[in-house]
Amino acid sequence: EPEVTQTPSHQVTQMGQEVILRCVPISNHLYFYWYRQILGQKVEFLVSFYNNEISEKSEIFDDQFSVERPDGSNFTLKIRSTKLEDSAMYFCASLQRGNNEQFFGPGTRLTVL
Amino acid sequence: KNEVEQSPQNLTAQEGEFITINCSYSVGISALHWLQQHPGGGIVSLFMLSSGKKKHGRLIATINIQEKHSSLHITASHPRDSAVYICAVNYGGSQGNLIFGKGTKLSVKP
């Protein structure tokens, strides 16, 4: 069964460093999402992406964040200068057009020291 | 503000018990989702509903659009059902982002 994959599973970084989280969505899906979950809190929407551009973003998704689909298969989330409060689990999800069910990746746990 | 509220926050049950988890939301939605999150963190979609009722194995999900309320039922619960169950909604169109509830942590004891 097709699945969304994410790498790395765990990333540890120093405050101020740039990180890139990678996702490979399901191949025939057209809509892509990033969510995050701070430990002990609910999952929060960050950004959605369709047709090579951002379709919606939350107030969390500030200028430190960016997304890209560089090669038609990977979907990346970049955090330019990480802060302690960026420590969270980051989930990628993808959606096939005309179907509401989003498929989630296993997540990347980001720890900022 | 679009809110998704779940109850209870925590639930402990004995194996075999019938379990109900509730979800309410504040404004009209295009779809409601029930998700399962295991201790490792991964999220799995269980149901997507826009009306009525769906059943998959021992899991049943219902939604009442007028009441803005949904329930997830687990019949004959088993320790392997132990997980966090999350209600999430699409407020926008069918491709809209999800707004999540805080989740219900279920623990089923043998």
Side-chain angles (χ1 to χ4, degrees):
Chain A
E1 185 174 331
E3 58 183 17
V4 178
T5 59
Q6 289 186 244
T7 54
S9 56
H10 191 189
Q11 172 99 43
V12 181
T13 190
Q14 294 291 325
M15 190 170 58
Q17 294 295 305
E18 174 183 286
V19 294
I20 298 176
L21 310 183
R22 290 183 167 79
C23 169
V24 180
I26 294 172
S27 62
N28 62 347
H29 285 193
L30 299 177
Y31 297 83
F32 313 109
Y33 307 83
W34 282 103
Y35 298 92
R36 79 169 186 192
Q37 185 178 33
I38 294 170
L39 187 64
Q41 297 186 24
K42 66 180 180 180
V43 180
E44 301 172 290
F45 167 72
L46 292 178
V47 66
S48 59
F49 192 86
Y50 169 72
N51 200 26
N52 284 320
E53 61 183 23
I54 291 173
S55 34
E56 192 172 358
K57 60 183 180 180
S58 73
E59 58 192 26
I60 302 168
F61 194 89
D62 61 23
D63 291 344
Q64 292 300 311
F65 291 87
S66 62
V67 288
E68 242 188 349
R69 195 147 186 261
D71 57 11
S73 79
N74 288 285
F75 178 50
T76 62
L77 175 69
K78 182 192 291 186
I79 309 174
R80 286 189 186 81
S81 177
T82 49
K83 304 188 278 283
L84 295 176
E85 54 265 36
D86 293 327
S87 294
M89 182 77 97
Y90 288 80
F91 292 101
C92 171
S94 70
L95 169 71
Q96 188 179 40
R97 186 171 190 164
N99 183 328
N100 277 11
E101 186 178 6
Q102 294 184 22
F103 288 81
F104 288 82
T108 292
R109 183 168 297 283
L110 176 65
T111 302
V112 183
L113 302 175
Chain B
K1 189 177 178 182
N2 300 332
E3 295 284 349
V4 179
E5 300 289 340
Q6 283 186 242
S7 63
Q9 267 189 292
N10 293 282
L11 182 56
T12 300
Q14 286 299 125
E15 184 173 354
E17 283 185 7
F18 180 85
I19 286 161
T20 296
I21 299 170
N22 296 298
C23 175
S24 59
Y25 50 92
S26 54
V27 297
I29 61 171
S30 54
L32 182 142
H33 303 250
W34 282 103
L35 308 163
Q36 182 189 57
Q37 186 172 33
H38 277 283
I43 296 173
V44 174
S45 178
L46 298 174
F47 293 105
M48 180 186 67
L49 295 161
S50 53
S51 64
K53 175 179 172 177
K54 286 191 177 180
K55 184 176 190 292
H56 185 248
R58 296 179 293 106
L59 301 179
I60 303 165
T62 63
I63 188 168
N64 183 321
I65 298 295
Q66 287 73 31
E67 298 289 323
K68 296 186 176 58
H69 180 269
S70 174
S71 294
L72 176 69
H73 306 285
I74 306 175
T75 61
S77 59
H78 190 276
R80 65 174 173 267
D81 297 326
S82 298
V84 176
Y85 291 84
I86 302 172
C87 174
V89 300
N90 290 107
Y91 281 111
S94 60
Q95 293 81 25
N97 57 282
L98 293 175
I99 305 297
F100 292 76
K102 291 182 180 178
T104 295
K105 185 174 182 180
L106 172 65
S107 179
V108 182
K109 306 293 186 189

